[in-house]
Amino acid sequence: MKLIVISHPGGSPGAPPGSLRDEAGLINKLFENGLQILHLRKPDSTREQVKKLLSEIDQKYHSRISLHQYHCLAEEFGIFRLHFTEKERAATSWDDFQMMRKRGFTLSTSIHDIEQLDTLSSCFSYAFFGPVFDSISKKGYHGVVNNNFKLTKKPVNLIALGGIGTSNLENIQAMNFDGAAILGALWEQPEDAVINFRRLSQLLVPESSAGRSGLKPGDGDMVALSPSPRLKPGIDERRADADGYRSGYHDICGPGCTSPGGDDRVHIPNPQDQQSQRPNPRFRPGAHNMRAPSQEPQNTAYGFSQSKDLDTIAKLHFISSQKSGLSHLQSIQKALDAGCKWIQLRVKNQSEEDVLPLALKAKKLCDGYNAKLIINDFPLIAKEVRAYGLHLGLSDMKIPQARKIVGNEMIVGGTANTFEDIILRINEGADYVGLGPYRFTTTKQNLSPILGLEGYQKLMDRLAKAGHHTPIIAIGGIVPDDIATLKNTGVHGVAMSSALLQSADIKETVSKIKSTLC
């Protein structure tokens, strides 16, 4: 169950007397103590006051902040979470929400009537509902449910709000809420905010399968909604991708801004400008509806609907390798230096404890280059390091099971070798399919039957005839000279490892490959 903190309602730095002293320092300490999401709500603060507060919050925590006001600051501070009040939600078009979600924003909203749940767009990842109990911060603001209340259906995750503290937090989980938002319980006594947050965190009841030690992909019917005890929270989740995000914008003034048409606009990349298309940190095709129902083919075998936004998946994937005197991290460094933006950390025959430190370092490397990190095989690690995606082999955990760990917002790809494998992956809700091998490769053990160019052509023809458009990534022994002919079969892109690392000029090779795939 999520524990979300809503910021102190008072002013920010530079505000009149009575404001919270050293608010940024307190917020940093909350993050240091395991806070995952902070909703920054400052209804009485100016844009400059909010901006100053954000500048004083440690930069590594910005991506864990959701803005309630001044959404226009999101780009400047690498923030990808936006909250909309009921009024703002009504004033914003469905298309605008679609575009914001597509460009990487995690959206949330508020409701005060449980019947409104059915009216919420699937663009929202979660919603606040309350007041559940009598409000602590707003005297006379009474709770709207009784102790026997229990949610039976939730089109989106629902976060309880209002009057929540140590005396009733456990009731929230019994009511079947997905989380709790804390306000008055922390800020009534700001000097004890960190201590009270720790107490509240300790009261959270773990999900049935979360918290078991030694969890590995494929361990029974695991439904872990939180990391294994070995995986420590608080990892930096910076996700801003400067390439493409700052170009090709058209202006849509967001409700979180104050001057329509002025400097307070939310900048959303124009989907018609192909230069602005980029992989992004939060929009994930496959398990989420990002199109109008009339436009989106439905596949309900596993309860997922398949999106067809191909531009979300990069066309050149680099797979880490450990051979020829190079470590996994050294191979990743070479690929990043050469211009690769999609990096898969693929470590085999090592324990979770051994892979986690590598994943943390790989994430830091990728963040430094605005590149996307994909974790192979380990969903708990992918969740803990806040990777962009997870890749699963045919013998690994099933995609729907992995979704229960990493959530619906993370990219999840799957391996396939046959037409039946591809259809299975599509039905599971895979965001892309790694199809191979093209030819023999020493990178992978237990190699599946080799497809060759003819095999790819037959499979791509069958997929086209069946009306499937999930991105297909060719993999396995591919060299630069293969790419033009492979592209002609209809594949979306290629995954490479040794052929890149062994090239005489890896940077030039990457540049040529990107040009061919473009």
Side-chain angles (χ1 to χ4, degrees), residues 230 318 482:
R230 291 194 303 263
F318 174 76
D482 299 323

PDB file of all heavy atoms in Angstrom, residues 230 318 482:
ATOM      1  N   ARG A 230      15.630  -7.179   0.677  1.00  0.00           N
ATOM      2  CA  ARG A 230      17.014  -6.879   0.335  1.00  0.00           C
ATOM      3  C   ARG A 230      17.119  -5.604  -0.470  1.00  0.00           C
ATOM      4  O   ARG A 230      18.177  -5.001  -0.561  1.00  0.00           O
ATOM      5  CB  ARG A 230      17.607  -8.036  -0.471  1.00  0.00           C
ATOM      6  CG  ARG A 230      17.806  -9.290   0.306  1.00  0.00           C
ATOM      7  CD  ARG A 230      18.690 -10.227  -0.482  1.00  0.00           C
ATOM      8  NE  ARG A 230      18.146 -10.522  -1.782  1.00  0.00           N
ATOM      9  CZ  ARG A 230      17.445 -11.616  -2.055  1.00  0.00           C
ATOM     10  NH1 ARG A 230      17.163 -12.472  -1.117  1.00  0.00           N
ATOM     11  NH2 ARG A 230      17.011 -11.838  -3.260  1.00  0.00           N
ATOM     12  N   PHE A 318      20.763  -1.904 -27.093  1.00  0.00           N
ATOM     13  CA  PHE A 318      22.068  -2.480 -26.771  1.00  0.00           C
ATOM     14  C   PHE A 318      21.899  -3.449 -25.602  1.00  0.00           C
ATOM     15  O   PHE A 318      21.276  -3.123 -24.600  1.00  0.00           O
ATOM     16  CB  PHE A 318      23.089  -1.410 -26.388  1.00  0.00           C
ATOM     17  CG  PHE A 318      24.394  -1.998 -25.913  1.00  0.00           C
ATOM     18  CD1 PHE A 318      25.299  -2.525 -26.826  1.00  0.00           C
ATOM     19  CD2 PHE A 318      24.701  -2.060 -24.562  1.00  0.00           C
ATOM     20  CE1 PHE A 318      26.488  -3.100 -26.397  1.00  0.00           C
ATOM     21  CE2 PHE A 318      25.872  -2.629 -24.118  1.00  0.00           C
ATOM     22  CZ  PHE A 318      26.778  -3.156 -25.038  1.00  0.00           C
ATOM     23  N   ASP A 482      23.449  -6.455 -41.853  1.00  0.00           N
ATOM     24  CA  ASP A 482      22.157  -7.153 -41.901  1.00  0.00           C
ATOM     25  C   ASP A 482      20.969  -6.202 -41.783  1.00  0.00           C
ATOM     26  O   ASP A 482      19.841  -6.562 -42.131  1.00  0.00           O
ATOM     27  CB  ASP A 482      22.045  -8.156 -40.740  1.00  0.00           C
ATOM     28  CG  ASP A 482      23.103  -9.239 -40.781  1.00  0.00           C
ATOM     29  OD1 ASP A 482      23.441  -9.677 -41.890  1.00  0.00           O
ATOM     30  OD2 ASP A 482      23.571  -9.639 -39.694  1.00  0.00           O
TER      31      ASP A 482
END
